[in-house]
Amino acid sequence: VEMRHGLMLQMATDLGKVGAMAKEETPYDAAVAGKAAANIAAIASVLSMDQFPAGSEYQKSADSFALPAIWEKQDDFLQKIADLNTAAATFQTAAATDLDSLKAGMAGLGGACGACHKAYRQPEE
């Protein structure tokens, strides 16, 4: 669970950087956006069931928000990871191009993240 949290926290940090650019809260910087997008793609590429061992679900493992549906619908969960990888790879190219491309890429990436979290993550209270 600690490893999973670390990966997700790093992804959230990088999403925060590009998200702030997409919302025009911070100036667009191609180098920063490209590095953040590369980090997101790298993290997505290592996600697997290895970070979600049996017994690490919500209320069975400290600080876990993983719902039991991950193990009940493992094929769908793994497809959502594959979808995230596709979106992250597309975003990696878009993010370093220009602000409009970054904004467009954020939609696909956000959709992939949200689809998995909606189905497989317990909302924080």
Side-chain angles (χ1 to χ4, degrees):
V1 174
E2 287 180 22
M3 177 176 49
R4 183 168 74 219
H5 280 197
L7 291 170
M8 295 300 172
L9 285 172
Q10 181 62 53
M11 191 177 292
T13 297
D14 288 306
L15 283 167
K17 290 175 186 177
V18 292
M21 289 181 207
K23 295 176 197 170
E24 298 186 40
E25 296 170 349
T26 61
Y28 174 76
D29 182 319
V32 172
K35 177 63 175 165
N39 289 346
I40 292 165
I43 292 166
S45 76
V46 299
L47 292 177
S48 69
M49 290 306 294
D50 291 344
Q51 289 83 37
F52 296 87
S56 70
E57 63 264 29
Y58 178 66
Q59 294 185 330
K60 288 190 178 180
S61 182
D63 299 324
S64 178
F65 294 96
L67 292 173
I70 288 173
W71 297 272
E72 296 162 4
K73 300 177 185 177
Q74 186 171 327
D75 288 344
D76 183 63
F77 179 69
L78 292 172
Q79 181 58 55
K80 287 188 175 18
I81 290 175
D83 294 346
L84 174 63
N85 272 279
T86 300
T90 300
F91 182 67
Q92 186 173 1
T93 301
T97 302
D98 57 37
L99 181 58
D100 288 337
S101 297
L102 178 139
K103 287 179 179 181
M106 286 290 292
L109 187 62
C113 292
C116 192
H117 282 195
K118 183 177 179 183
Y120 298 111
R121 186 179 191 278
Q122 173 68 32
E124 292 185 53
E125 298 168 4

